């Protein structure tokens, strides 16, 4: 699976948009970009995933560059409850497996 | 609906002992996987089971084993515990339907080895 690079930490003011970048320059054509987050003392929580088109759901938006070498997770109006470690993961499509390769993630701190 | 449930939530063992951790997947989910998360790091894949068969294994020693039962619940066993086995052990389940590509994680079992 392709390797991802994320900044170790970021701050965001409450109510503002949080933009979390991820570099995945070695991604191949059949690999999806997944985002999970882990709030303290809980298991990881799925946020969103995409292949090449931008995606939006009730939690966030995912913007993938045209060359697919990087992506940005956007939390449009961050709240204190969004403070968590955010993981960007690249995973082959339809591999039928549950193996996700987690990196170090980005620790997002939302401040009042 | 209940999410993925794990027991116990916390456990303290001494070196050399054996431990069994338990997981119940979301109702209807047939695939279960286990992850180990050492403090300050992301989770690492240990095992995947589907329909009671092992479908994937991460880079962990043979001291780690698992099984899945007919009701799709699962157990993770670790023998001859080492201090380095101290970690949060996470269980995740996944549906089999089209588009069921996301994993649902439990809150984990915090294992401390003294």
């Amino acid at each position: 699976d392709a390797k991802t690079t994320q900044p170790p930490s970021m701050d965001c003011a409450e109510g503002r948009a949080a933009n979390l970048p991820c570099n995945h320059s070695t991604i191949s054509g059949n690999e999806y970009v997944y985002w999970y987050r882990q709030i303290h003392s809980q298991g990881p929580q799925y946020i969103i995933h995409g292949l090449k088109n931008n995606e939006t759901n009730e939690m966030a938006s995912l913007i993938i560059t045209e060359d697919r070498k990087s992506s940005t997770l956007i939390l449009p109006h961050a709240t204190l409850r969004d403070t968590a470690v955010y993981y960007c993961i690249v995973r082959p499509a339809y591999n039928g497996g549950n193996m996700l390769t987690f990196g170090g993630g980005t620790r997002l701190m939302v401040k009042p | 609906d209940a999410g993925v449930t794990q027991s116990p939530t916390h456990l303290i063992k001494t070196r050399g002992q054996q431990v069994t951790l338990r997981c119940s997947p979301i109702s209807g989910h047939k695939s279960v996987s286990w992850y180990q998360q050492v403090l300050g790091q992301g989770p690492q894949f240990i095992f995947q089971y589907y329909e009671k068969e092992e479908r994937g294994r991460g880079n962990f020693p043979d001291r780690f084993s698992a099984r899945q039962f007919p009701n799709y619940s699962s157990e993770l066993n670790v023998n001859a515990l080492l201090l380095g086995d101290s970690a949060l052990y996470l269980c995740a389940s996944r549906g089999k339907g089209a588009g069921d590509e996301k994993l649902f994680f439990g809150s984990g079992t915090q294992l401390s080895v003294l």
Side-chain angles (χ1 to χ4, degrees):
Chain A
D1 295 356
K3 180 180 171 61
T4 62
T5 303
Q6 300 177 254
S9 64
M10 292 181 63
D11 290 344
C12 177
E14 187 178 20
R16 304 296 295 267
N19 296 279
L20 292 90
C22 179
N23 181 285
H24 32 78
S25 58
T26 60
I27 193 170
S28 57
N30 69 341
E31 290 182 315
Y32 280 75
V33 179
Y34 280 75
W35 284 82
Y36 281 76
R37 73 179 182 183
Q38 188 171 23
I39 296 170
H40 183 63
S41 299
Q42 297 182 23
Q45 176 191 25
Y46 166 86
I47 303 173
I48 199 167
H49 74 281
L51 183 63
K52 57 182 179 181
N53 296 321
N54 297 338
E55 302 287 344
T56 295
N57 63 20
E58 66 279 3
M59 291 183 68
S61 295
L62 174 60
I63 308 297
I64 302 174
T65 58
E66 192 169 346
D67 63 8
R68 303 187 69 240
K69 293 184 177 182
S70 65
S71 61
T72 301
L73 178 74
I74 300 173
L75 308 178
H77 305 286
T79 71
L80 299 179
R81 287 176 295 181
D82 292 322
T83 292
V85 178
Y86 287 77
Y87 296 100
C88 170
I89 299 164
V90 170
R91 176 176 176 267
Y94 312 120
N95 72 355
N98 295 352
M99 189 180 83
L100 298 177
T101 302
F102 288 83
T106 295
R107 184 172 298 276
L108 176 68
M109 179 73 70
V110 180
K111 299 184 175 180
Chain B
D1 288 342
V4 176
T5 58
Q6 294 187 242
S7 63
T9 55
H10 296 82
L11 201 51
I12 299 175
K13 293 286 188 177
T14 56
R15 281 179 298 174
Q17 285 189 313
Q18 176 265 340
V19 68
T20 298
L21 311 180
R22 295 176 177 81
C23 170
S24 293
I26 291 173
S27 177
H29 286 192
K30 300 180 179 181
S31 180
V32 168
S33 52
W34 288 93
Y35 285 77
Q36 180 198 64
Q37 186 173 24
V38 174
L39 188 64
Q41 299 181 17
Q44 282 200 8
F45 173 78
I46 310 175
F47 283 113
Q48 178 193 348
Y49 275 77
Y50 175 72
E51 294 281 13
K52 298 179 289 181
E53 291 189 3
E54 183 182 307
R55 294 297 184 95
R57 183 185 185 116
N59 188 25
F60 280 81
D62 292 344
R63 298 185 296 107
F64 288 77
S65 64
R67 56 179 175 169
Q68 187 177 31
F69 300 98
N71 66 353
Y72 305 112
S73 67
S74 178
E75 287 182 351
L76 175 70
N77 296 285
V78 187
N79 293 322
L81 285 168
L82 303 175
L83 296 180
D85 295 331
S86 294
L88 179 68
Y89 288 85
L90 295 159
C91 176
S93 74
R94 187 176 76 126
K96 188 60 178 175
D100 285 337
E101 293 293 317
K102 53 189 177 187
L103 298 187
F104 295 86
F105 285 83
S107 294
T109 294
Q110 184 67 54
L111 173 64
S112 298
V113 182
L114 306 179

